[in-house]
């Protein structure tokens, strides 16, 4: 059965075809928003995956270059591994949907989104987000949806629902909000110092639009939705929990988990695990799920103590931040470095500066963005949590954390005209116990300042957690959550910003949504915390950007030349520019509009290169003074090279004040001489004089 549905969102038509394609998937929708076209499918395995204690959900966002009329770059003319944008989009789809599947569901589920065509007025990411929700809702896969997602941009202070790609790229806000029919379940934002009140207004504007979409989805489900299939529950048996509590009373579990030392807590849990393994040695069925049972017992214990007694595992007050420390210049020779420590979370960030030619090239679906000048990379090695495993490169989590810190700092970076450098910040996680991405933001901000990057304002970040009870008004918000509170709590609400406003948000939850009072309290708490971190920690390590880049950082001199003179600087087959580079050791970049960047570490050599370029691009006038080298001697005079590829002739009569019979009597090849320009001779060559140099 082939059915089509449509609705207007943000002044553009969303059309959904069901039953037209991909009939063998559990759920499939052929989505069009404007002319952007995405196929979204949801599939599930028949049986649960053996031996796992988590829900195996996979989300894919496949960018196909044919969707924008391109052939992929590189030697292999087909799409390779997922781009960073693909990974980040998949994460944004995963985060709100995962909590809406049954907690005891262990069947493999894959949500696939294939981008077939892109209309720049309708971003494919939002189409895929909605497509995944609708495909799952109409499928037979158990799901407590629907959920809907809306993006909000802001141009000239006005909110735009589902903005075009240009409005998204150039506006002051990039906000994605997911909602159920009652509550907000996910927030992702990058912002140009948006005030907290304005951000809350934008969030709930998106939430209101989501309610319209959810009503639309419910209509579709009522007409074509499949009956949800039954599944094998992986819930822990009640009798097992009763036996565990008998062997390990709640008071013993409280004593085990309530400590500010992660290692001590883990050792306590190991002892409890060993005790229960011995007790259940004859019950293989219980032994298989013992790890999950102990996890849930810890979770219930921690949640009860926080919610009822307002007692945190490490003894802090609900709004108290862990011990802070910060320092800069901990790594020699690099262009900038800083370390930020908050409790048992520690990040070292290192900044590298390079010419703008080192910008990252991007081959993606957004034709407005072909290169990235600021790159933030985040690494999370196993030793940071006391584990051992080989490094396999950055995963989705690392890419997501790096992108979050990158969004946090982009609004305060200087323009390319103010600071003509490509900038790379790398955050190395030395120790982790909660919210390393926010520590990465703080460390990166200080590292940029230490490197001499003239950022406009200081940026800090913090994360708030949440524990909820049985009613909407029974909850506790926690400032600066550690790992245990993240694992066992209901929310990880990360916010970064300056003293004037928010630069980034990433909110994940494990429950079916947040009420507006919770969102408002979390945003207010994060503001208080980030101001405290800046004043009490970061500013004491470094209060403002250094006035100059470091000794080992490349220096850049920018100059403007007549675009018609670019060919003179480059020379035939690059001969002239390569000779300048060989003589001075600098790097030279020239743009089509005549902007020249000379980059190097030796100021004297850079000045020489600038002088050479200036000479080459200057129209020669009588009376100009040059220094050059004798490169050729003839009977009638000598040729002097005064810049790479540029020569002038000194006639024998113009070499010395007295008469000379032979040029060789005064000059030899390689001599450095000072000459004055006499104009051009009858043959159009530049004519020089040595004897007429003023004060010679």
């Amino acid at each position: 059965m082939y059915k089509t549905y449509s609705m207007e969102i943000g002044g553009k038509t969303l059309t959904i075809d069901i039953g037209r394609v991909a009939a063998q998937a559990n759920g499939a929708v052929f989505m069009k928003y404007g002319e952007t076209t995405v196929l979204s499918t949801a599939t599930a395995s028949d049986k649960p995956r053996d031996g796992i204690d988590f829900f195996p959900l996979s989300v894919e966002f496949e960018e196909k270059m044919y969707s924008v009329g391109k052939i992929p770059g590189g030697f292999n003319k087909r799409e390779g591994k997922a781009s960073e944008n693909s990974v980040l989009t998949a994460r944004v789809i995963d985060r709100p949907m995962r909590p809406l599947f049954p907690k005891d569901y262990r069947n493999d589920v894959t949500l696939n989104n294939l981008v077939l065509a892109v209309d720049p007025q309708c971003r494919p990411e939002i189409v895929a987000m909605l497509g995944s929700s609708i495909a799952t809702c109409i499928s037979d896969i158990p799901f407590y949806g629907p959920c809907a997602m809306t993006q909000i941009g802001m141009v000239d202070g006005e909110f735009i629902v589902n903005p075009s790609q240009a409005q998204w790229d150039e506006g002051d806000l990039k906000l994605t909000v997911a909602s159920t029919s009652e509550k907000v379940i996910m927030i992702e934002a990058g912002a140009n110092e948006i005030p907290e009140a304005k951000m809350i207004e934008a969030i709930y504007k998106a939430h209101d639009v989501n309610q319209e979409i959810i009503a639309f989805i419910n209509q579709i489900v009522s007409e074509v939705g499949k009956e949800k299939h039954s599944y094998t529950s992986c819930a822990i048996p009640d009798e097992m929990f009763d036996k565990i509590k008998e062997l390990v009373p709640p008071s013993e579990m409280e004593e085990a988990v309530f400590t500010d030392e992660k290692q001590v807590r883990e050792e306590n849990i190991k002892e409890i695990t060993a005790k229960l393994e011995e007790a259940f040695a004859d019950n293989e069925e219980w032994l298989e799920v013992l790890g999950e049972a102990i996890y849930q017992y810890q979770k219930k214990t921690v949640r009860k103590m926080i919610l009822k007694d307002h007692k945190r595992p490490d003894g802090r007050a609900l709004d108290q931040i862990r011990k802070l420390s910060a320092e800069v210049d901990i790594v020699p020779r690099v262009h900038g470095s800083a370390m930020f420590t908050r409790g048992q979370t520690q990040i070292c960030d290192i900044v590298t500066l390079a010419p703008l030619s080192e910008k990252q090239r991007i081959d993606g679906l957004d034709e407005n963005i072909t290169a990235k000048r600021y790159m933030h990379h985040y690494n999370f090695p196993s030793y940071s949590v006391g584990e051992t495993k080989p490094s396999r490169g950055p995963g989705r989590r690392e890419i997501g954390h790096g992108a979050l810190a990158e969004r946090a700092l982009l609004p305060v970076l200087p323009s390319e005209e103010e600071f003509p450098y490509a900038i790379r910040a790398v955050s190395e996680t030395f120790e982790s116990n909660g919210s390393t991405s926010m520590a990465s933001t703080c460390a990166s901000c200080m590292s940029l300042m230490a490197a001499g990057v003239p950022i406009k304002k200081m940026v800090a970040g913090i994360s708030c957690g949440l524990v909820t009870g049985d009613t909407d008004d029974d909850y506790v918000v926690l400032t600066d959550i550690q790992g245990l509170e993240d694992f066992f709590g209901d929310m990880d609400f990360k916010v970064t910003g300056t003293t004037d406003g928010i630069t980034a948000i990433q909110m994940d939850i494990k429950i079916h949504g947040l009420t507006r009072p919770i969102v408002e309290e979390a945003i207010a708490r994060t503001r208080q915390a980030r101001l405290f971190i800046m004043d009490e920690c970061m500013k004491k390590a470094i209060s403002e950007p250094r006035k100059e880049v470091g000794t080992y950082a490349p220096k850049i001199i920018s100059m403007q030349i007549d675009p018609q003179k670019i060919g003179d600087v480059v020379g035939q087959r690059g001969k002239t520019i390569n000779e300048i580079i060989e003589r001075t050791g600098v790097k030279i970049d020239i743009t089509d509009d005549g902007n020249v960047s000379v980059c190097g570490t030796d100021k004297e050599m850079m000045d020489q290169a600038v002088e050479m370029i200036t000479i080459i691009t200057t129209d020669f006038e009588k009376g100009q003074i040059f220094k050059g080298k004798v490169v050729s001697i003839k009977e009638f005079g000598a040729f002097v090279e005064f810049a790479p590829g540029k020569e002038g002739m000194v006639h024998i009569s113009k070499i010395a004040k007295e008469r000379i019979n032979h040029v060789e009597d005064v000059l030899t090849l390689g001599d450095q001489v000072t000459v004055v320009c006499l104009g051009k001779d009858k043959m159009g060559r530049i004519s020089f004089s040595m004897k007429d140099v003023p004060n010679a």
Side-chain angles (χ1 to χ4, degrees):
M1 181 176 63
Y2 171 23
K3 299 201 75 171
T4 298
Y5 300 86
S6 63
M7 75 172 292
E8 293 292 311
I9 309 175
K12 292 163 279 194
T13 302
L14 174 70
T15 303
I16 302 167
D17 292 344
I18 297 172
R20 184 179 182 184
V21 297
Q24 296 190 47
N26 295 63
V29 288
F30 195 68
M31 308 276 291
K32 286 186 179 178
Y33 191 37
E35 291 185 325
T36 293
T37 307
V38 177
L39 170 62
S40 296
T41 58
T43 52
S45 61
D46 295 332
K47 297 179 181 179
R49 193 193 299 183
D50 292 333
I52 61 170
D53 57 0
F54 62 92
F55 170 43
L57 172 66
S58 299
V59 181
E60 305 295 336
F61 178 76
E62 296 188 48
E63 293 179 322
K64 297 298 184 179
M65 300 308 290
Y66 55 66
S67 67
V68 289
K70 291 182 182 178
I71 294 175
F75 293 103
N76 184 15
K77 294 298 182 181
R78 65 180 299 158
E79 291 80 6
K81 69 175 185 177
S83 70
E84 186 173 295
N85 183 65
S86 294
V87 171
L88 297 176
T89 303
R91 279 171 55 85
V92 170
I93 297 170
D94 181 297
R95 285 166 25 218
M97 293 193 64
R98 185 177 290 271
L100 299 180
F101 289 91
K103 293 187 182 301
D104 58 344
Y105 191 53
R106 297 293 181 267
N107 296 42
D108 283 278
V109 173
T110 298
L111 307 179
N112 188 279
N113 299 277
L114 177 63
V115 180
L116 296 163
V118 176
D119 174 355
Q121 298 302 309
C122 303
R123 303 186 67 246
E125 290 84 354
I126 191 64
V127 184
M129 293 171 194
L130 291 172
S132 287
S133 175
I134 298 170
T136 308
C137 285
I138 66 171
S139 76
D140 61 344
I141 301 169
F143 183 66
Y144 302 129
C147 63
M149 287 175 246
T150 296
Q151 293 184 324
I152 300 290
M154 189 171 77
V155 177
D156 297 329
E158 297 295 322
F159 293 138
I160 301 170
V161 174
N162 291 348
S164 69
Q165 189 65 58
Q167 291 168 329
W168 184 259
D169 293 336
E170 298 166 11
D172 291 322
L173 178 63
K174 299 178 180 179
L175 172 68
T176 303
V177 177
S179 309
T180 63
S181 59
E182 298 178 346
K183 301 173 182 177
V184 170
I185 55 175
M186 194 278 300
I187 303 170
E188 178 102 353
N192 188 14
E193 295 185 273
I194 300 293
E196 280 74 9
K198 191 77 171 177
M199 182 65 78
I200 292 170
E201 182 186 347
I203 290 169
Y204 281 92
K205 181 176 182 63
H207 180 66
D208 290 342
V209 176
N210 283 338
Q211 300 315 300
E212 299 174 19
I213 299 171
I214 286 170
F216 174 61
I217 297 173
N218 281 330
Q219 175 197 341
I220 296 172
V221 174
S222 68
E223 295 184 18
V224 299
K226 300 176 184 177
E227 182 180 349
K228 300 301 182 184
H229 66 232
S230 59
Y231 63 93
T232 303
S233 173
C234 295
I236 305 299
D238 290 339
E239 59 270 25
M240 181 180 180
F241 264 126
D242 293 340
K243 187 63 177 177
I244 288 175
K245 289 180 180 179
E246 179 184 322
L247 295 169
V248 183
S251 59
E252 185 177 335
M253 181 59 81
E254 287 176 16
E255 186 178 345
V257 298
F258 277 77
T259 171
D260 60 355
E261 289 289 336
K262 179 181 174 182
Q263 293 87 342
V264 173
R265 183 185 309 115
E266 290 175 348
E267 192 59 38
N268 292 341
I269 297 302
K270 283 181 183 178
E271 292 177 7
I272 289 174
T273 302
K275 177 180 178 179
L276 293 174
E277 285 176 341
E278 184 178 350
F280 300 155
D282 297 330
N283 191 328
E284 285 190 22
E285 186 177 333
W286 284 11
L287 282 176
E288 287 181 2
V289 294
L290 180 59
E292 176 66 12
I294 293 173
Y295 175 87
Q296 291 189 22
Y297 192 10
Q298 291 182 75
K299 182 174 182 176
K300 289 179 180 179
T301 302
V302 171
R303 291 175 65 85
K304 169 185 171 294
M305 294 296 288
I306 292 174
L307 191 62
K308 303 303 179 186
D309 304 329
H310 288 190
K311 180 181 177 182
R312 300 179 72 169
D314 56 7
R316 281 182 292 146
L318 299 180
D319 60 353
Q320 185 179 350
I321 298 172
R322 288 172 288 176
K323 183 180 177 181
L324 300 169
S325 68
E327 53 186 308
V328 296
D329 303 330
I330 73 162
V331 182
R333 300 188 71 87
V334 298
H335 302 166
S337 66
M339 188 162 72
F340 179 84
T341 306
R342 189 185 63 246
Q344 289 183 300
T345 293
Q346 187 177 67
I347 296 286
C348 176
D349 189 89
I350 297 172
V351 164
T352 305
L353 306 176
L356 288 170
S357 58
E358 296 295 318
K359 290 192 290 188
Q360 180 183 357
R361 292 178 176 84
I362 298 174
D363 189 17
L365 304 188
D366 181 1
E367 296 186 354
N368 295 326
I369 300 179
T370 58
K372 189 163 68 170
R373 173 239 192 157
Y374 176 60
M375 300 151 277
H376 191 289
H377 298 148
Y378 165 97
N379 297 314
F380 189 83
S382 59
Y383 63 73
S384 67
V385 288
E387 297 176 357
T388 176
K389 63 179 179 181
S391 175
R392 302 296 187 195
R396 292 192 169 195
R397 180 179 182 275
E398 286 84 354
I399 291 172
H401 278 17
L404 176 58
E406 187 173 291
R407 284 201 310 274
L409 290 157
L410 271 174
V412 301
L413 291 178
S415 67
E416 291 185 7
E417 291 72 27
E418 295 171 295
F419 192 71
Y421 285 89
I423 308 165
R424 181 182 185 231
V426 179
S427 291
E428 303 289 358
T429 306
F430 284 177
E431 188 177 6
S432 173
N433 186 13
S435 199
T436 49
S437 61
M438 296 296 91
S440 175
T441 299
C442 298
S444 302
C445 177
M446 295 189 297
S447 186
L448 287 166
M449 292 194 291
V453 180
I455 62 172
K456 300 167 189 174
K457 296 173 188 173
M458 185 174 277
V459 176
I462 196 70
S463 180
C464 276
L466 175 74
V467 177
T468 55
D470 296 330
T471 61
D472 283 349
D473 58 358
D474 183 18
Y475 66 89
V476 171
V477 175
L478 305 170
T479 299
D480 180 24
I481 55 172
Q482 58 175 309
L484 193 71
E485 294 165 334
D486 184 6
F487 301 149
F488 298 153
D490 297 321
M491 174 181 79
D492 184 5
F493 201 129
K494 305 182 181 81
V495 183
T496 70
T498 67
T499 55
D500 295 326
I502 293 170
T503 59
I505 296 179
Q506 187 177 94
M507 185 201 82
D508 299 323
I509 62 172
K510 302 169 188 173
I511 54 176
H512 293 183
L514 303 180
T515 62
R516 183 161 182 159
I518 294 175
V519 172
E520 291 178 345
E521 182 175 346
I523 287 178
R525 284 275 199 96
T526 55
R527 176 175 174 79
Q528 295 168 359
R530 73 174 187 265
L531 296 181
F532 177 85
I533 291 170
M534 284 189 272
D535 290 338
E536 298 300 320
C537 180
M538 295 170 64
K539 289 180 181 177
K540 293 179 180 179
I542 183 167
S543 59
E544 62 181 18
R546 288 182 173 143
K547 302 304 181 186
E548 296 181 352
V549 299
T551 303
Y552 298 102
K555 282 71 178 175
I556 294 178
I557 299 175
S558 296
M559 58 187 298
Q560 186 70 37
I561 65 172
D562 183 344
Q564 294 185 352
K565 301 281 188 179
I566 293 174
D568 294 340
V569 177
V570 175
Q572 189 174 14
R573 298 181 179 177
K575 180 180 178 181
T576 303
I577 195 169
N578 287 333
E579 189 167 344
I580 298 173
I581 292 169
E582 185 178 343
R583 289 190 191 183
T584 61
V586 303
K587 182 170 185 177
I588 301 172
D589 294 318
I590 306 177
T591 62
D592 291 340
D593 60 358
N595 185 272
V596 181
S597 292
V598 177
C599 178
T601 55
D602 187 322
K603 183 66 164 56
E604 185 179 344
M605 291 293 102
M606 293 172 66
D607 289 340
Q608 283 189 26
V610 169
E611 184 181 5
M612 291 177 188
I613 295 170
T614 301
I615 292 170
I616 292 170
T617 56
T618 300
D619 290 327
F620 306 110
E621 295 180 2
K622 186 175 180 179
Q624 287 179 306
I625 306 295
F626 298 103
K627 291 183 179 179
K629 180 175 70 171
V630 177
V631 293
S632 177
I633 293 178
K634 306 293 183 183
E635 281 188 30
F636 51 83
F639 286 91
V640 175
E641 184 188 60
F642 57 97
K646 294 291 182 180
E647 297 178 2
M649 190 192 76
V650 183
H651 191 268
I652 189 170
S653 64
K654 298 294 183 180
I655 292 176
K657 294 184 183 297
E658 65 278 4
R659 177 182 173 83
I660 61 173
N661 295 318
H662 303 285
V663 175
E664 293 88 339
D665 292 342
V666 177
L667 297 176
T668 56
L669 288 175
D671 281 353
Q672 297 291 329
V673 296
T674 301
V675 295
V676 61
C677 183
L678 301 177
K680 293 186 177 181
D681 61 20
K682 294 178 181 179
M683 298 176 64
R685 298 176 302 189
I686 299 169
S687 181
F688 286 146
S689 171
M690 290 173 58
K691 73 177 185 180
D692 296 316
V693 174
N695 303 320

